[in-house]
Amino acid sequence: MTWWDADEDDDEDEFDESSVRVRPNRRGSRPRTKVRPEHADAVEGVVLGVDRGRYSVLVDENGGDERTITAARASELRRKSVVTGDHVDLVGDTTGDAGTLSRIVRVRERTTLLRRSADDTDEVERVIVANADQMLIVVAAANPEPRIRLVDRYLVAAFDARIQPILCLTKTDLADPSEFLENFAGLDLPVIRSRSDKMPIDVITAELVDHRTVFVGHSGVGKSTLVNALVPGADRATGVVNTVTGRGRHTSSSTVSLRLESPAGRGWVIDTPGVRSFGLGHVDPANILGAFSDLARIAERCPRGCTHLPDAPDCAIVEAVQAGDLGDTGRARLDSLQRLLETFR
Ligand SMILES: Nc1nc2c(ncn2[C@@H]2O[C@H](COP(=O)(O)OP(=O)(O)OP(=O)(O)O)[C@@H](O)[C@H]2O)c(=O)[nH]1
Ligand SMILES: [Mg+2]
Ligand SMILES: [Zn+2]
């Protein structure tokens, strides 16, 4: 089993609630009809994590009886995915007592949904997290080497999902990320970078307060290390990066939401497994240019229907790059954009 198989198996039905013994409802068993009532007695919760078909759900958030309970997806949800960050309705035993299992009967409407596909042609989407409003794109200055194109892909996914991206540079004790960062200088993209081996935890915390922020990035860049520094007691396992291949070991295998508490306020941080690629098969191709806001501004001067590809006549972006208007990184920015546009041609 590969790392991402393990990750995606979270969505499988193998441990559906029908396969386990559920403690009888304390109010006695009600007749089961084919068309079930509205579950008027359901309680609301937010999914913190999923592990082999078992959902960890926070109930009565900030209330007097806040508790984390274990739940399974009710068979009536069929193949509908339930993911970290989802607001769900639960029935059955919602006490959270040891050994109890509740049932998720409804998934509430999502404000955002971050998805990826295995590759750009794959129609099957993998849902990563629901209801996040920020994406912290974690990139190591070295080990593993930073990859411009992976960041571009995250930016497209964030733009498509209407999630605010933030770029966060780790491992600046190993290399200077300045050259890499120049590629993104023309974007309205907040950038946070560590100083030497010290991450500016206060600065990052301030960005995360009052937000639900999903941490994304290549395996081994230090997402879980960062989460552990931000959330004392988070206890996320961290792995060693192979010094020869520069590859991480895919230490984190599932997506988990953790509460950030600080004098400045609260928020949620969502640690995800590292990915090798981030397929955009599900995004609206019209949103690709939108993520390249530095180039999108220039594209307003393009002829109507311009593809912005090398064979496009009178493309304002191509002309601006050739004229050197976009500085040293112009060529690379255009190349990045064209590669993505080409994929969806
Ligand atoms: N030198 C240096 N090493 C770091 C820094 N941040 C993290 N590391 C190391 O990088 C390795 C990988 O860190 P993780 O936190 O496991 O990386 P991850 O992004 O969670 O990886 P996956 O869970 O596999 O996606 C660990 O050995 C960390 O100690 C840093 O700022 N500088
Ligand atoms: Mg990790
Ligand atoms: Zn154009």
Side-chain angles (χ1 to χ4, degrees):
M1 185 184 272
T2 63
W3 61 272
W4 57 268
D5 283 331
D7 159 18
E8 260 102 51
D9 273 351
D10 290 348
D11 253 16
E12 295 306 317
D13 266 289
E14 51 180 330
F15 294 97
D16 193 70
E17 115 273 13
S18 57
S19 63
V20 298
R21 221 183 289 271
V22 182
R23 221 202 231 179
N25 189 310
R26 281 184 293 181
R27 270 168 265 165
S29 56
R30 283 166 298 167
R32 281 185 155 223
T33 53
K34 189 83 181 146
V35 182
R36 294 184 199 198
E38 277 280 290
H39 293 301
D41 56 343
V43 299
E44 197 193 343
V46 57
V47 176
L48 301 181
V50 190
D51 186 18
R52 279 164 292 167
R54 286 287 176 274
Y55 299 80
S56 174
V57 185
L58 183 70
V59 175
D60 198 25
E61 184 177 354
N62 303 322
D65 197 17
E66 184 180 284
R67 60 200 184 278
T68 304
I69 69 174
T70 304
R73 182 174 46 191
S75 47
E76 64 208 74
L77 286 176
R78 303 224 163 69
R79 299 297 302 170
K80 183 166 177 53
S81 65
V82 179
V83 296
T84 298
D86 262 327
H87 286 273
V88 295
D89 287 338
L90 304 130
V91 299
D93 192 329
T94 56
T95 58
D97 293 347
T100 61
L101 187 67
S102 173
R103 273 190 303 135
I104 297 172
V105 290
R106 253 192 314 261
V107 180
R108 300 224 174 168
E109 201 180 327
R110 294 156 169 163
T111 55
T112 66
L113 191 58
L114 179 64
R115 303 164 295 169
R116 72 178 174 95
S117 51
D119 61 57
D120 294 332
T121 55
D122 190 353
E123 297 281 305
V124 184
E125 61 185 42
R126 328 277 179 189
V127 181
I128 300 168
V129 67
N131 301 318
D133 64 339
Q134 287 193 143
M135 175 194 283
L136 192 80
I137 305 170
V138 185
V139 180
N143 196 27
E145 288 305 307
R147 287 162 56 197
I148 294 168
R149 297 224 166 78
L150 184 60
V151 175
D152 285 334
R153 283 172 171 273
Y154 282 131
L155 292 175
V156 170
F159 186 86
D160 187 69
R162 296 186 164 72
I163 297 174
Q164 169 66 46
I166 301 171
L167 191 56
C168 178
L169 267 292
T170 60
K171 309 201 190 187
T172 53
D173 50 311
L174 303 179
D176 181 356
S178 304
E179 204 177 309
F180 172 79
L181 283 172
E182 274 170 32
N183 284 284
F184 306 100
L187 300 180
D188 314 313
L189 175 67
V191 177
I192 301 172
R193 52 189 285 184
S194 58
R195 281 174 249 103
S196 177
D197 61 340
K198 271 264 180 266
M199 283 309 285
I201 293 301
D202 291 354
V203 175
I204 303 175
T205 299
E207 293 288 333
L208 305 183
V209 166
D210 292 333
H211 292 286
R212 294 173 299 281
T213 309
V214 57
F215 287 33
V216 297
H218 198 276
S219 179
V221 293
K223 297 179 292 297
S224 300
T225 303
L226 199 51
V227 167
N228 285 340
L230 291 161
V231 183
D235 214 18
R236 292 290 281 170
T238 58
V240 178
V241 176
N242 185 312
T243 46
V244 179
T245 62
R247 281 197 175 163
R249 288 186 178 176
H250 297 285
T251 307
S252 305
S253 60
S254 71
T255 299
V256 173
S257 185
L258 297 146
R259 178 137 64 196
L260 173 89
E261 310 222 28
S262 82
R266 285 174 146 191
W268 288 96
V269 301
I270 301 135
D271 191 13
T272 67
V275 298
R276 254 177 224 142
S277 63
F278 198 93
L280 297 173
H282 56 279
V283 312
D284 178 355
N287 283 336
I288 294 172
L289 181 61
F292 289 75
S293 55
D294 48 348
L295 306 184
R297 279 191 287 270
I298 300 169
E300 286 165 14
R301 303 198 302 266
C302 285
R304 185 186 274 258
C306 182
T307 60
H308 321 301
L309 289 168
D311 57 2
D314 303 322
C315 174
I317 306 174
V318 173
E319 285 172 2
V321 168
Q322 278 164 358
D325 294 353
L326 285 144
D328 293 344
T329 58
R331 187 67 249 164
R333 293 293 295 155
L334 178 61
D335 190 47
S336 247
L337 171 70
Q338 288 180 335
R339 274 171 190 257
L340 281 173
L341 290 174
E342 195 78 61
T343 315
F344 294 92
R345 205 210 282 243

